[in-house]
């Protein structure tokens, strides 16, 4: 099946699909089939992470798909336990080998925790050597982002952060845009929290376009020029989440969705000391 997915241009000229597919919480044993289905549905960008424990399965699906490498956009992330210059290089090699690739499209620092400045130095070198097309960060709040930008040669191409109708980050977007950092939304549906899929305002807007709540949310993010990577293990939802390029939300609809913002995470605060400690102690293979 062929679906034409528009691309954005990152701050180094690299093109990235504005809509991709995330595999967080897809069990390892299910991931090969799920990614195979996603690629068959038309997704070309896949977002995984060392900490998801499913990079090998993603790699098997990529290899079996027969899709030319240059048509794919593959992202993975470096976990906190592996921050540091030498460890970051070693873990990058490990991720690449698990994915069965000889270069990555996007490599992200998963959390602004641990010795991530040293990781960034390693990533800048890997980027310079052509082993990564673009480097970026994830879960960086404005202060951490500005500091990293100020003290390094390369500005992150992407900041992958929690963005959905209940935590919109509209106040953060201008700063990221000013620095040329593209927002990539994680949890575009807030994983269904706060009854997102039955929200009456989103449902009413969807009904007016013959679209589902999920499609309205993805379209709203895309119209904000935010990259999206929804996750689903079900082929019918994979297709549904791709069918968002044949309608447009009006300014009034965008404003009504803007009013849903609660201004706080629906998951946890990355600056909460107890959470920082928990994340920093989490071990991955
Ligand atoms: P999402 O907001 O994408 O929600 C996924 C949930 O929504 C699943 O339960 C899925 O169920 C359901 N769903 C998907 N499509 C539909 C639909 N059309 N209608 C109804 N329900 C639907 O959550 P994620 O946390 O997975 O976020 C997306 C991606 O972002 C992740 O997979 C990961 O790649 C990335 N991420 C990154 C983080 C980071 O720290 N950098 C943190 C969290 C996520 P089902 O599968 O049964 O269809």
């Amino acid at each position: 099946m062929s679906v034409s997915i528009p691309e954005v241009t990152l701050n180094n000229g690299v093109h990235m699909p504005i809509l991709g597919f995330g595999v967080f919480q897809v069990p390892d044993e299910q991931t090969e089939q799920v990614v195979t289905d996603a690629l068959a549905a038309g997704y070309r960008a896949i977002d995984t992470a060392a900490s998801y424990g499913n990079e090998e399965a993603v790699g098997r699906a990529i290899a079996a798909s027969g899709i030319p490498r240059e048509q794919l956009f593959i992202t993975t992330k470096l976990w906190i336990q592996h921050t540091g210059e030498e460890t970051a290089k070693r873990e990058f090699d490990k991720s690449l080998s698990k994915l069965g690739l000889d270069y990555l499209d996007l490599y992200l620092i998963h959390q602004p925790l641990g010795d991530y400045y040293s990781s960034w130095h390693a990533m800048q070198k890997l980027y310079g050597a052509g082993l990564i097309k673009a480097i970026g960060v994830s879960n960086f709040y404005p202060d951490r982002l500005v500091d990293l930008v100020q003290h390094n040669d390369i500005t992150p191409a992407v900041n992958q952060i929690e963005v959905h109708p209940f935590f919109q980050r509209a106040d953060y977007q201008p700063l990221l845009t000013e620095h040329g950092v593209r927002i990539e939304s994680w949890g575009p549906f807030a994983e269904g929290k706060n009854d997102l899929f039955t929200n009456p305002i989103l449902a009413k807007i969807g009904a007016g376009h013959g679209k589902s709540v999920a499609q309205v949310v993805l379209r709203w993010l895309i119209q904000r020029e935010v990259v999206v990577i929804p996750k689903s293990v079900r082929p019918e939802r994979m297709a549904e989440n791709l069918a968002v390029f044949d309608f447009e939300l009006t300014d009034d609809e965008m404003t009504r969705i803007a009013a849903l913002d609660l201004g706080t995470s629906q998951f946890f605060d990355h600056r909460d000391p107890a959470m920082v400690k928990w994340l920093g102690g989490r071990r991955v293979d």
Side-chain angles (χ1 to χ4, degrees), residues 21-25 47-48 52 77 108 110-111 138-139 160-161 185-192 197 212 214-215 229-234 237 240-241 267 270:
F21 186 79
V23 296
F24 179 42
Q25 297 174 128
D47 180 88
T48 183
Y52 299 171
K77 314 183 191 85
L108 303 179
H110 204 146
Q111 307 284 352
S138 179
N139 296 308
Q160 185 182 112
I161 51 176
S185 146
W186 68 249
F189 308 136
E191 294 181 6
F197 291 114
S212 67
Q215 289 169 323
I229 42 167
K231 168 261 177 189
S232 176
V233 296
R234 307 172 201 218
R237 287 182 179 171
E240 177 185 333
N241 296 344
F267 295 85
H270 284 82

mmCIF file of all heavy atoms in Angstrom, residues 21-25 47-48 52 77 108 110-111 138-139 160-161 185-192 197 212 214-215 229-234 237 240-241 267 270, ligand 1:
data_model
loop_
_atom_site.group_PDB
_atom_site.id
_atom_site.type_symbol
_atom_site.label_atom_id
_atom_site.label_comp_id
_atom_site.label_asym_id
_atom_site.label_seq_id
_atom_site.Cartn_x
_atom_site.Cartn_y
_atom_site.Cartn_z
ATOM 1 N N PHE A 21 5.951 5.777 13.411
ATOM 2 C CA PHE A 21 5.330 4.720 14.218
ATOM 3 C C PHE A 21 6.207 4.425 15.434
ATOM 4 O O PHE A 21 7.411 4.188 15.299
ATOM 5 C CB PHE A 21 5.213 3.469 13.336
ATOM 6 C CG PHE A 21 4.477 2.343 13.978
ATOM 7 C CD1 PHE A 21 3.094 2.348 14.032
ATOM 8 C CD2 PHE A 21 5.161 1.276 14.539
ATOM 9 C CE1 PHE A 21 2.403 1.307 14.645
ATOM 10 C CE2 PHE A 21 4.491 0.232 15.152
ATOM 11 C CZ PHE A 21 3.096 0.250 15.206
ATOM 12 N N GLY A 22 5.595 4.434 16.630
ATOM 13 C CA GLY A 22 6.354 4.177 17.862
ATOM 14 C C GLY A 22 6.123 2.771 18.379
ATOM 15 O O GLY A 22 5.029 2.221 18.229
ATOM 16 N N VAL A 23 7.156 2.207 18.998
ATOM 17 C CA VAL A 23 7.034 0.816 19.477
ATOM 18 C C VAL A 23 7.283 0.667 20.977
ATOM 19 O O VAL A 23 7.614 -0.418 21.458
ATOM 20 C CB VAL A 23 7.954 -0.152 18.683
ATOM 21 C CG1 VAL A 23 7.537 -0.215 17.227
ATOM 22 C CG2 VAL A 23 9.422 0.224 18.809
ATOM 23 N N PHE A 24 7.091 1.753 21.733
ATOM 24 C CA PHE A 24 7.202 1.662 23.192
ATOM 25 C C PHE A 24 6.100 0.741 23.709
ATOM 26 O O PHE A 24 4.944 0.852 23.292
ATOM 27 C CB PHE A 24 7.048 3.067 23.783
ATOM 28 C CG PHE A 24 7.121 3.150 25.286
ATOM 29 C CD1 PHE A 24 8.051 2.428 26.008
ATOM 30 C CD2 PHE A 24 6.252 3.983 25.980
ATOM 31 C CE1 PHE A 24 8.118 2.533 27.395
ATOM 32 C CE2 PHE A 24 6.306 4.098 27.366
ATOM 33 C CZ PHE A 24 7.241 3.360 28.077
ATOM 34 N N GLN A 25 6.466 -0.145 24.630
ATOM 35 C CA GLN A 25 5.516 -1.068 25.276
ATOM 36 C C GLN A 25 4.941 -2.113 24.322
ATOM 37 O O GLN A 25 3.945 -2.757 24.645
ATOM 38 C CB GLN A 25 4.390 -0.298 25.986
ATOM 39 C CG GLN A 25 4.950 0.557 27.119
ATOM 40 C CD GLN A 25 3.929 1.461 27.794
ATOM 41 O OE1 GLN A 25 3.789 1.451 28.994
ATOM 42 N NE2 GLN A 25 3.222 2.248 27.010
ATOM 43 N N ASP A 47 10.167 4.505 15.510
ATOM 44 C CA ASP A 47 10.818 5.050 16.708
ATOM 45 C C ASP A 47 10.921 3.962 17.775
ATOM 46 O O ASP A 47 9.910 3.480 18.269
ATOM 47 C CB ASP A 47 9.977 6.215 17.261
ATOM 48 C CG ASP A 47 10.608 6.829 18.501
ATOM 49 O OD1 ASP A 47 11.430 7.747 18.347
ATOM 50 O OD2 ASP A 47 10.304 6.374 19.627
ATOM 51 N N THR A 48 12.179 3.595 18.109
ATOM 52 C CA THR A 48 12.391 2.638 19.186
ATOM 53 C C THR A 48 13.405 3.235 20.155
ATOM 54 O O THR A 48 13.729 4.419 20.088
ATOM 55 C CB THR A 48 12.815 1.250 18.642
ATOM 56 O OG1 THR A 48 12.934 0.335 19.733
ATOM 57 C CG2 THR A 48 14.117 1.292 17.865
ATOM 58 N N TYR A 52 13.584 0.019 25.265
ATOM 59 C CA TYR A 52 12.327 -0.679 24.953
ATOM 60 C C TYR A 52 12.548 -2.196 24.823
ATOM 61 O O TYR A 52 11.580 -2.955 24.794
ATOM 62 C CB TYR A 52 11.676 -0.170 23.658
ATOM 63 C CG TYR A 52 11.290 1.297 23.646
ATOM 64 C CD1 TYR A 52 10.863 1.916 22.484
ATOM 65 C CD2 TYR A 52 11.335 2.080 24.802
ATOM 66 C CE1 TYR A 52 10.507 3.260 22.455
ATOM 67 C CE2 TYR A 52 10.991 3.423 24.785
ATOM 68 C CZ TYR A 52 10.587 4.007 23.612
ATOM 69 O OH TYR A 52 10.248 5.341 23.572
ATOM 70 N N LYS A 77 17.303 5.363 20.843
ATOM 71 C CA LYS A 77 17.685 6.291 21.922
ATOM 72 C C LYS A 77 18.663 5.639 22.891
ATOM 73 O O LYS A 77 18.599 4.427 23.123
ATOM 74 C CB LYS A 77 16.431 6.728 22.710
ATOM 75 C CG LYS A 77 15.258 7.122 21.833
ATOM 76 C CD LYS A 77 14.069 7.620 22.615
ATOM 77 C CE LYS A 77 12.840 7.736 21.725
ATOM 78 N NZ LYS A 77 12.064 6.493 21.567
ATOM 79 N N LEU A 108 18.808 9.700 19.715
ATOM 80 C CA LEU A 108 18.377 10.656 20.744
ATOM 81 C C LEU A 108 18.948 10.295 22.109
ATOM 82 O O LEU A 108 19.014 9.115 22.473
ATOM 83 C CB LEU A 108 16.838 10.647 20.860
ATOM 84 C CG LEU A 108 16.019 10.944 19.600
ATOM 85 C CD1 LEU A 108 14.518 10.853 19.912
ATOM 86 C CD2 LEU A 108 16.347 12.331 19.052
ATOM 87 N N HIS A 110 17.912 9.840 25.566
ATOM 88 C CA HIS A 110 16.544 9.511 25.979
ATOM 89 C C HIS A 110 16.041 10.417 27.109
ATOM 90 O O HIS A 110 14.864 10.791 27.133
ATOM 91 C CB HIS A 110 16.493 8.039 26.425
ATOM 92 C CG HIS A 110 15.136 7.424 26.338
ATOM 93 N ND1 HIS A 110 14.943 6.101 26.022
ATOM 94 C CD2 HIS A 110 13.903 7.934 26.529
ATOM 95 C CE1 HIS A 110 13.630 5.848 26.033
ATOM 96 N NE2 HIS A 110 12.992 6.931 26.335
ATOM 97 N N GLN A 111 16.951 10.761 28.038
ATOM 98 C CA GLN A 111 16.554 11.574 29.191
ATOM 99 C C GLN A 111 17.678 12.556 29.516
ATOM 100 O O GLN A 111 18.849 12.205 29.387
ATOM 101 C CB GLN A 111 16.335 10.687 30.440
ATOM 102 C CG GLN A 111 15.390 9.506 30.248
ATOM 103 C CD GLN A 111 13.923 9.902 30.227
ATOM 104 O OE1 GLN A 111 13.586 11.053 30.500
ATOM 105 N NE2 GLN A 111 13.057 8.971 29.895
ATOM 106 N N SER A 138 15.576 14.031 24.034
ATOM 107 C CA SER A 138 14.198 13.698 24.406
ATOM 108 C C SER A 138 13.979 14.080 25.862
ATOM 109 O O SER A 138 14.880 13.935 26.694
ATOM 110 C CB SER A 138 13.965 12.202 24.209
ATOM 111 O OG SER A 138 12.651 11.855 24.577
ATOM 112 N N ASN A 139 12.795 14.556 26.135
ATOM 113 C CA ASN A 139 12.396 14.923 27.505
ATOM 114 C C ASN A 139 13.218 16.073 28.079
ATOM 115 O O ASN A 139 13.410 16.155 29.293
ATOM 116 C CB ASN A 139 12.485 13.690 28.421
ATOM 117 C CG ASN A 139 11.499 12.622 27.995
ATOM 118 O OD1 ASN A 139 10.327 12.891 27.839
ATOM 119 N ND2 ASN A 139 11.995 11.401 27.757
ATOM 120 N N GLN A 160 12.210 15.180 21.476
ATOM 121 C CA GLN A 160 11.012 14.328 21.547
ATOM 122 C C GLN A 160 10.439 14.444 22.958
ATOM 123 O O GLN A 160 11.069 14.001 23.921
ATOM 124 C CB GLN A 160 11.373 12.871 21.227
ATOM 125 C CG GLN A 160 10.145 11.979 21.158
ATOM 126 C CD GLN A 160 10.474 10.517 20.899
ATOM 127 O OE1 GLN A 160 10.294 9.664 21.769
ATOM 128 N NE2 GLN A 160 10.974 10.214 19.712
ATOM 129 N N ILE A 161 9.269 15.068 23.052
ATOM 130 C CA ILE A 161 8.684 15.363 24.368
ATOM 131 C C ILE A 161 7.204 14.983 24.394
ATOM 132 O O ILE A 161 6.577 14.820 23.347
ATOM 133 C CB ILE A 161 8.832 16.876 24.715
ATOM 134 C CG1 ILE A 161 8.312 17.758 23.572
ATOM 135 C CG2 ILE A 161 10.280 17.219 25.032
ATOM 136 C CD1 ILE A 161 8.333 19.257 23.876
ATOM 137 N N SER A 185 6.325 14.684 19.062
ATOM 138 C CA SER A 185 5.426 14.360 20.178
ATOM 139 C C SER A 185 5.549 12.896 20.560
ATOM 140 O O SER A 185 5.424 12.014 19.708
ATOM 141 C CB SER A 185 3.983 14.634 19.755
ATOM 142 O OG SER A 185 3.091 13.698 20.347
ATOM 143 N N TRP A 186 5.787 12.647 21.844
ATOM 144 C CA TRP A 186 5.544 11.272 22.300
ATOM 145 C C TRP A 186 4.209 11.246 23.035
ATOM 146 O O TRP A 186 3.768 12.264 23.561
ATOM 147 C CB TRP A 186 6.692 10.675 23.082
ATOM 148 C CG TRP A 186 7.092 11.168 24.456
ATOM 149 C CD1 TRP A 186 8.252 11.840 24.757
ATOM 150 C CD2 TRP A 186 6.434 10.967 25.723
ATOM 151 N NE1 TRP A 186 8.325 12.086 26.107
ATOM 152 C CE2 TRP A 186 7.223 11.558 26.724
ATOM 153 C CE3 TRP A 186 5.233 10.340 26.104
ATOM 154 C CZ2 TRP A 186 6.858 11.556 28.081
ATOM 155 C CZ3 TRP A 186 4.870 10.336 27.454
ATOM 156 C CH2 TRP A 186 5.687 10.938 28.421
ATOM 157 N N GLY A 187 3.571 10.057 22.994
ATOM 158 C CA GLY A 187 2.257 9.945 23.635
ATOM 159 C C GLY A 187 1.228 10.883 23.032
ATOM 160 O O GLY A 187 0.530 11.586 23.765
ATOM 161 N N PRO A 188 1.078 10.918 21.704
ATOM 162 C CA PRO A 188 0.140 11.871 21.091
ATOM 163 C C PRO A 188 -1.289 11.690 21.596
ATOM 164 O O PRO A 188 -2.066 12.639 21.618
ATOM 165 C CB PRO A 188 0.230 11.565 19.593
ATOM 166 C CG PRO A 188 0.776 10.159 19.518
ATOM 167 C CD PRO A 188 1.707 10.043 20.684
ATOM 168 N N PHE A 189 -1.621 10.458 22.017
ATOM 169 C CA PHE A 189 -2.970 10.194 22.554
ATOM 170 C C PHE A 189 -2.952 10.165 24.084
ATOM 171 O O PHE A 189 -3.920 9.705 24.702
ATOM 172 C CB PHE A 189 -3.502 8.849 22.038
ATOM 173 C CG PHE A 189 -3.449 8.686 20.544
ATOM 174 C CD1 PHE A 189 -3.010 7.496 19.963
ATOM 175 C CD2 PHE A 189 -3.832 9.729 19.709
ATOM 176 C CE1 PHE A 189 -2.958 7.350 18.584
ATOM 177 C CE2 PHE A 189 -3.777 9.587 18.323
ATOM 178 C CZ PHE A 189 -3.337 8.392 17.761
ATOM 179 N N ALA A 190 -1.847 10.589 24.685
ATOM 180 C CA ALA A 190 -1.686 10.492 26.145
ATOM 181 C C ALA A 190 -1.956 9.054 26.594
ATOM 182 O O ALA A 190 -2.423 8.819 27.720
ATOM 183 C CB ALA A 190 -2.603 11.474 26.873
ATOM 184 N N GLU A 191 -1.701 8.111 25.669
ATOM 185 C CA GLU A 191 -1.978 6.682 25.921
ATOM 186 C C GLU A 191 -3.420 6.490 26.395
ATOM 187 O O GLU A 191 -3.714 5.585 27.178
ATOM 188 C CB GLU A 191 -0.971 6.088 26.922
ATOM 189 C CG GLU A 191 0.452 6.054 26.359
ATOM 190 C CD GLU A 191 1.468 5.456 27.315
ATOM 191 O OE1 GLU A 191 1.082 4.960 28.383
ATOM 192 O OE2 GLU A 191 2.676 5.489 26.972
ATOM 193 N N GLY A 192 -4.314 7.355 25.934
ATOM 194 C CA GLY A 192 -5.740 7.217 26.266
ATOM 195 C C GLY A 192 -6.106 7.778 27.634
ATOM 196 O O GLY A 192 -7.268 7.686 28.052
ATOM 197 N N PHE A 197 -9.915 9.330 24.170
ATOM 198 C CA PHE A 197 -10.585 8.814 22.965
ATOM 199 C C PHE A 197 -12.096 9.059 22.957
ATOM 200 O O PHE A 197 -12.737 8.889 21.926
ATOM 201 C CB PHE A 197 -10.278 7.320 22.775
ATOM 202 C CG PHE A 197 -8.840 7.066 22.408
ATOM 203 C CD1 PHE A 197 -7.992 6.392 23.274
ATOM 204 C CD2 PHE A 197 -8.329 7.504 21.189
ATOM 205 C CE1 PHE A 197 -6.667 6.154 22.934
ATOM 206 C CE2 PHE A 197 -7.002 7.272 20.844
ATOM 207 C CZ PHE A 197 -6.167 6.602 21.721
ATOM 208 N N SER A 212 -12.037 10.113 13.242
ATOM 209 C CA SER A 212 -12.047 9.678 14.642
ATOM 210 C C SER A 212 -11.304 10.687 15.520
ATOM 211 O O SER A 212 -10.578 11.571 15.017
ATOM 212 C CB SER A 212 -11.349 8.312 14.750
ATOM 213 O OG SER A 212 -9.974 8.461 14.448
ATOM 214 N N ALA A 214 -8.738 9.997 17.322
ATOM 215 C CA ALA A 214 -7.295 9.782 17.087
ATOM 216 C C ALA A 214 -6.831 10.586 15.874
ATOM 217 O O ALA A 214 -5.776 11.241 15.901
ATOM 218 C CB ALA A 214 -7.018 8.287 16.880
ATOM 219 N N GLN A 215 -7.623 10.565 14.826
ATOM 220 C CA GLN A 215 -7.235 11.286 13.601
ATOM 221 C C GLN A 215 -7.236 12.802 13.822
ATOM 222 O O GLN A 215 -6.356 13.506 13.316
ATOM 223 C CB GLN A 215 -8.186 10.895 12.458
ATOM 224 C CG GLN A 215 -7.951 9.450 11.987
ATOM 225 C CD GLN A 215 -9.043 8.952 11.062
ATOM 226 O OE1 GLN A 215 -10.221 9.266 11.234
ATOM 227 N NE2 GLN A 215 -8.656 8.156 10.075
ATOM 228 N N ILE A 229 4.407 10.154 16.316
ATOM 229 C CA ILE A 229 4.792 8.738 16.198
ATOM 230 C C ILE A 229 3.819 7.865 17.002
ATOM 231 O O ILE A 229 4.199 7.213 17.962
ATOM 232 C CB ILE A 229 6.247 8.504 16.673
ATOM 233 C CG1 ILE A 229 6.538 9.305 17.975
ATOM 234 C CG2 ILE A 229 7.252 8.851 15.601
ATOM 235 C CD1 ILE A 229 7.829 8.903 18.673
ATOM 236 N N PRO A 230 2.522 7.857 16.605
ATOM 237 C CA PRO A 230 1.551 7.056 17.351
ATOM 238 C C PRO A 230 1.909 5.575 17.338
ATOM 239 O O PRO A 230 2.508 5.090 16.386
ATOM 240 C CB PRO A 230 0.241 7.305 16.586
ATOM 241 C CG PRO A 230 0.681 7.658 15.199
ATOM 242 C CD PRO A 230 1.956 8.420 15.374
ATOM 243 N N LYS A 231 1.492 4.908 18.407
ATOM 244 C CA LYS A 231 1.721 3.458 18.522
ATOM 245 C C LYS A 231 0.381 2.725 18.486
ATOM 246 O O LYS A 231 -0.583 3.163 19.119
ATOM 247 C CB LYS A 231 2.450 3.171 19.836
ATOM 248 C CG LYS A 231 2.502 1.708 20.244
ATOM 249 C CD LYS A 231 1.437 1.339 21.269
ATOM 250 C CE LYS A 231 1.432 -0.134 21.620
ATOM 251 N NZ LYS A 231 0.262 -0.519 22.455
ATOM 252 N N SER A 232 0.331 1.640 17.744
ATOM 253 C CA SER A 232 -0.799 0.718 17.857
ATOM 254 C C SER A 232 -0.326 -0.665 17.431
ATOM 255 O O SER A 232 0.458 -0.793 16.498
ATOM 256 C CB SER A 232 -1.970 1.135 16.960
ATOM 257 O OG SER A 232 -2.977 0.133 17.059
ATOM 258 N N VAL A 233 -0.833 -1.684 18.100
ATOM 259 C CA VAL A 233 -0.479 -3.042 17.685
ATOM 260 C C VAL A 233 -1.520 -3.587 16.697
ATOM 261 O O VAL A 233 -1.385 -4.709 16.228
ATOM 262 C CB VAL A 233 -0.358 -3.992 18.908
ATOM 263 C CG1 VAL A 233 0.781 -3.546 19.820
ATOM 264 C CG2 VAL A 233 -1.670 -4.082 19.688
ATOM 265 N N ARG A 234 -2.546 -2.763 16.367
ATOM 266 C CA ARG A 234 -3.643 -3.265 15.519
ATOM 267 C C ARG A 234 -3.598 -2.658 14.126
ATOM 268 O O ARG A 234 -3.665 -1.423 13.977
ATOM 269 C CB ARG A 234 -4.982 -2.899 16.152
ATOM 270 C CG ARG A 234 -5.084 -3.346 17.589
ATOM 271 C CD ARG A 234 -6.345 -2.791 18.191
ATOM 272 N NE ARG A 234 -6.214 -2.781 19.630
ATOM 273 C CZ ARG A 234 -7.191 -3.071 20.481
ATOM 274 N NH1 ARG A 234 -8.379 -3.383 20.025
ATOM 275 N NH2 ARG A 234 -6.983 -3.036 21.769
ATOM 276 N N ARG A 237 -6.005 0.170 13.229
ATOM 277 C CA ARG A 237 -5.674 1.478 13.819
ATOM 278 C C ARG A 237 -4.430 2.083 13.172
ATOM 279 O O ARG A 237 -4.303 3.302 13.070
ATOM 280 C CB ARG A 237 -5.467 1.338 15.322
ATOM 281 C CG ARG A 237 -6.768 1.129 16.069
ATOM 282 C CD ARG A 237 -6.487 1.047 17.554
ATOM 283 N NE ARG A 237 -7.712 0.874 18.316
ATOM 284 C CZ ARG A 237 -7.739 0.595 19.621
ATOM 285 N NH1 ARG A 237 -6.600 0.454 20.292
ATOM 286 N NH2 ARG A 237 -8.877 0.456 20.258
ATOM 287 N N GLU A 240 -5.805 3.722 10.250
ATOM 288 C CA GLU A 240 -6.594 4.892 10.685
ATOM 289 C C GLU A 240 -5.666 6.064 11.024
ATOM 290 O O GLU A 240 -5.903 7.204 10.615
ATOM 291 C CB GLU A 240 -7.410 4.482 11.919
ATOM 292 C CG GLU A 240 -8.228 5.582 12.548
ATOM 293 C CD GLU A 240 -8.908 5.106 13.856
ATOM 294 O OE1 GLU A 240 -9.179 3.887 13.988
ATOM 295 O OE2 GLU A 240 -9.140 5.945 14.735
ATOM 296 N N ASN A 241 -4.595 5.754 11.736
ATOM 297 C CA ASN A 241 -3.687 6.815 12.185
ATOM 298 C C ASN A 241 -2.872 7.420 11.040
ATOM 299 O O ASN A 241 -2.290 8.491 11.188
ATOM 300 C CB ASN A 241 -2.760 6.292 13.287
ATOM 301 C CG ASN A 241 -3.531 5.896 14.539
ATOM 302 O OD1 ASN A 241 -4.697 6.267 14.704
ATOM 303 N ND2 ASN A 241 -2.890 5.144 15.432
ATOM 304 N N PHE A 267 1.699 11.956 32.810
ATOM 305 C CA PHE A 267 2.506 10.789 33.195
ATOM 306 C C PHE A 267 3.284 11.097 34.479
ATOM 307 O O PHE A 267 2.880 10.705 35.553
ATOM 308 C CB PHE A 267 3.430 10.376 32.042
ATOM 309 C CG PHE A 267 2.659 9.895 30.846
ATOM 310 C CD1 PHE A 267 2.168 10.789 29.906
ATOM 311 C CD2 PHE A 267 2.383 8.545 30.679
ATOM 312 C CE1 PHE A 267 1.427 10.346 28.813
ATOM 313 C CE2 PHE A 267 1.638 8.091 29.592
ATOM 314 C CZ PHE A 267 1.162 9.001 28.658
ATOM 315 N N HIS A 270 9.590 15.002 34.873
ATOM 316 C CA HIS A 270 10.999 14.599 34.762
ATOM 317 C C HIS A 270 11.899 15.364 35.723
ATOM 318 O O HIS A 270 13.078 15.087 35.817
ATOM 319 C CB HIS A 270 11.493 14.791 33.336
ATOM 320 C CG HIS A 270 11.002 13.719 32.415
ATOM 321 N ND1 HIS A 270 9.754 13.734 31.845
ATOM 322 C CD2 HIS A 270 11.585 12.581 31.984
ATOM 323 C CE1 HIS A 270 9.587 12.666 31.109
ATOM 324 N NE2 HIS A 270 10.684 11.945 31.167
HETATM 325 P P1 LIG B 1 0.187 6.816 22.346
HETATM 326 O O1 LIG B 1 -0.289 8.120 22.846
HETATM 327 O O2 LIG B 1 0.645 6.673 20.944
HETATM 328 O O3 LIG B 1 -0.988 5.804 22.658
HETATM 329 C C1 LIG B 1 -0.917 4.452 22.362
HETATM 330 C C2 LIG B 1 -2.224 3.832 22.856
HETATM 331 O O4 LIG B 1 -3.326 4.287 22.053
HETATM 332 C C3 LIG B 1 -2.221 2.339 22.785
HETATM 333 O O5 LIG B 1 -2.912 1.868 23.928
HETATM 334 C C4 LIG B 1 -3.026 2.036 21.535
HETATM 335 O O6 LIG B 1 -3.688 0.799 21.683
HETATM 336 C C5 LIG B 1 -3.999 3.184 21.486
HETATM 337 N N1 LIG B 1 -4.385 3.580 20.117
HETATM 338 C C6 LIG B 1 -3.561 3.806 19.067
HETATM 339 N N2 LIG B 1 -4.245 4.217 17.997
HETATM 340 C C7 LIG B 1 -5.546 4.264 18.372
HETATM 341 C C8 LIG B 1 -6.740 4.613 17.690
HETATM 342 N N3 LIG B 1 -6.721 5.009 16.421
HETATM 343 N N4 LIG B 1 -7.913 4.534 18.381
HETATM 344 C C9 LIG B 1 -7.942 4.132 19.673
HETATM 345 N N5 LIG B 1 -6.840 3.783 20.367
HETATM 346 C C10 LIG B 1 -5.639 3.857 19.713
HETATM 347 O O7 LIG B 1 1.332 6.313 23.379
HETATM 348 P P2 LIG B 1 2.857 5.922 23.306
HETATM 349 O O8 LIG B 1 3.376 6.077 24.684
HETATM 350 O O9 LIG B 1 3.049 4.624 22.664
HETATM 351 O O10 LIG B 1 3.547 7.071 22.429
HETATM 352 C C11 LIG B 1 3.890 6.912 21.068
HETATM 353 C C12 LIG B 1 5.380 6.663 20.890
HETATM 354 O O11 LIG B 1 6.134 7.731 21.451
HETATM 355 C C13 LIG B 1 5.906 5.430 21.646
HETATM 356 O O12 LIG B 1 5.536 4.219 21.046
HETATM 357 C C14 LIG B 1 7.384 5.706 21.650
HETATM 358 O O13 LIG B 1 7.949 5.407 20.388
HETATM 359 C C15 LIG B 1 7.396 7.200 21.919
HETATM 360 N N6 LIG B 1 7.543 7.502 23.372
HETATM 361 C C16 LIG B 1 8.714 8.100 23.796
HETATM 362 C C17 LIG B 1 8.907 8.428 25.104
HETATM 363 C C18 LIG B 1 10.170 9.102 25.499
HETATM 364 O O14 LIG B 1 10.451 9.210 26.705
HETATM 365 N N7 LIG B 1 10.972 9.585 24.569
HETATM 366 C C19 LIG B 1 7.903 8.118 26.157
HETATM 367 C C20 LIG B 1 6.698 7.501 25.624
HETATM 368 C C21 LIG B 1 6.547 7.224 24.292
HETATM 369 P P3 LIG B 1 -3.395 -0.467 20.700
HETATM 370 O O15 LIG B 1 -1.903 -0.635 20.602
HETATM 371 O O16 LIG B 1 -4.085 -1.598 21.395
HETATM 372 O O17 LIG B 1 -4.038 -0.096 19.399
#
